[in-house]
Amino acid sequence: NNSIVVGNTGSTSALQNHSNCSFHHSCTLPLPTTGVGNIAEDPQFVNTAAGDFHLLRTSPCLNTGDNGLVAALDADLDGNPRIADGPVDMGVFERQGPPIYYVSTTGEDAQDGYSWETAKRTIQAAVDLTVDGTTVIVDDGVYDMGSRVVHGAMRNRVVIDKAITVVSRNGPDVTTISGSPDPENVLGDGAVRCVYLADGAQLIGFTLTNGATRAAGDVGREQSGGGVWCEPGAEVSNCTISGNVATVFGGGSVGGVLIGCRLTNNFAEELEGSNGGGASGGRLDNCVVSGNVATNGGGTYGSNLDGCTVSDNRALNWGGGVRGGIVRNSELIGNQADNQDGGGAYQSELKY
């Protein structure tokens, strides 16, 4: 009960790990043919080789046990409470700290979000329950429901307004947050940006696409950042930011720290002075910036880059690849400035 049984060996190839056993709310391979609540997945230990069998925050064994099967012991192997939040974890170590919430396209927002079986339907519903330090894990699928305003009248598909981590279960190839263009003019009051991130918030492993901004209102906060708008200290990692549009700054992103992200085919469209087709401001580490378009800084505008590849971006005026900012240890290849100077870089500081 509430156990993890993996990695054991026997003489019969089909039943090496377990044989003639009864399992309930446990993790093991192969999946038992009897019992309830069992799963056959990688438990995701912190470090099996080093003997650290605590569970990673993305483990499928978190909050998937049965509290009714907990023995009289009131502590886990570390001496911490055996039930820290919601359902008990499988295994001998209970994850402590703020609860983890789960989101799935098959979930319901009326559920508590404490497990995959009781997952929330929208990311926003889970975020609203969190406190600083909480993790929200999002299952595969496209998340394109709902919106919320932070500044002026600019709507956001997801508002992460606390210092929490929102992470996909299986990465950006299978997990998408989709914004929405204004139905009449692409840029307008009906547009929905993909994500707003507060200081200290982390977004990991998503594709952000189809986001757009207003064409009026505050230039920096309502007409900029079609894919993601970051307060200082927000962090986006292992994300694909593609196919978004802004009126003035940052078709793909504004501000924050982007790590290991791909920014492709984003646009900043104000012909009189849009800036940063891919990104405006912020810091980009080990990112790919490709195929973005703006009046100035087709790839990035005023951003600091380290270890990035900037290719095939286009500016109508200055800085096909980058305009402004500090560029270190990066490659600028095949970028174009149509009508002015600096096909690769303009008014930037390039270092090694």
Side-chain angles (χ1 to χ4, degrees):
N1 300 330
N2 297 335
S3 296
I4 300 173
V5 181
V6 295
N8 304 287
T9 59
S11 60
T12 305
S13 59
L15 300 171
Q16 286 187 5
N17 192 41
H18 63 78
S19 178
N20 297 319
C21 298
S22 176
F23 290 88
H24 298 282
H25 289 272
S26 294
C27 176
T28 189
L29 292 169
L31 183 68
T33 57
T34 60
V36 296
N38 298 308
I39 60 174
E41 299 185 46
D42 178 1
Q44 297 185 29
F45 295 127
V46 169
N47 191 333
T48 302
D52 186 347
F53 298 108
H54 293 84
L55 300 173
L56 292 171
R57 64 186 179 186
T58 54
S59 169
C61 298
L62 295 172
N63 293 339
T64 49
D66 184 344
N67 291 354
L69 299 175
V70 176
L73 295 173
D74 60 358
D76 69 1
L77 198 58
D78 283 333
N80 294 315
R82 185 65 182 98
I83 302 174
D85 62 83
V88 65
D89 299 339
M90 295 177 181
V92 296
F93 297 110
E94 182 76 7
R95 187 185 184 277
Q96 306 297 310
I100 291 176
Y101 292 100
Y102 298 85
V103 179
S104 171
T105 56
T106 61
E108 296 290 341
D109 282 348
Q111 300 181 138
D112 60 28
Y114 282 149
S115 68
W116 290 119
E117 288 72 21
T118 62
K120 295 288 188 182
R121 171 61 180 88
T122 64
I123 299 171
Q124 193 65 60
V127 170
D128 288 346
L129 296 177
T130 63
V131 297
D132 287 357
T134 304
T135 296
V136 174
I137 304 177
V138 182
D139 203 5
D140 305 353
V142 176
Y143 295 86
D144 57 2
M145 297 171 57
S147 65
R148 181 168 297 179
V149 171
V150 178
H151 299 116
M154 181 67 232
R155 297 188 295 162
N156 306 268
R157 185 70 70 208
V158 178
V159 171
I160 305 175
D161 55 357
K162 304 161 192 172
I164 66 171
T165 298
V166 178
V167 57
S168 71
R169 190 179 190 183
N170 291 308
D173 291 344
V174 292
T175 320
T176 297
I177 299 173
S178 179
S180 178
D182 180 271
E184 294 184 1
N185 302 308
V186 179
L187 298 164
D189 293 346
V192 180
R193 175 192 289 132
C194 297
V195 181
Y196 164 87
L197 287 175
D199 182 17
Q202 292 182 306
L203 184 72
I204 305 172
F206 291 86
T207 288
L208 308 181
T209 191
N210 212 33
T213 72
R214 298 185 68 209
D218 185 88
V219 169
R221 293 181 176 273
E222 296 183 75
Q223 299 187 57
S224 302
V228 59
W229 202 99
C230 301
E231 298 285 0
E235 184 176 295
V236 181
S237 61
N238 188 30
C239 285
T240 297
I241 304 171
S242 181
N244 304 286
V245 60
T247 303
V248 182
F249 292 101
S253 69
V254 167
V257 178
L258 278 60
I259 302 172
C261 293
R262 296 182 58 86
L263 294 87
T264 63
N265 302 315
N266 302 287
F267 298 86
E269 287 209 343
E270 173 54 63
L271 296 180
E272 297 299 320
S274 66
N275 303 287
S280 177
R283 192 181 87 222
L284 283 67
D285 293 344
N286 301 314
C287 293
V288 173
V289 182
S290 181
N292 305 284
V293 179
T295 305
N296 300 293
T300 66
Y301 180 87
S303 306
N304 294 331
L305 283 62
D306 194 344
C308 295
T309 298
V310 182
S311 66
D312 301 312
N313 302 283
R314 184 167 66 91
L316 300 184
N317 288 336
W318 290 277
V322 302
R323 177 169 179 174
I326 300 172
V327 181
R328 304 175 188 270
N329 309 306
S330 297
E331 296 180 345
L332 283 64
I333 304 169
N335 303 286
Q336 178 179 339
D338 288 354
N339 302 311
Q340 297 293 342
D341 300 327
Y346 182 79
Q347 292 182 335
S348 303
E349 185 177 355
L350 280 72
K351 298 184 176 182
Y352 59 87

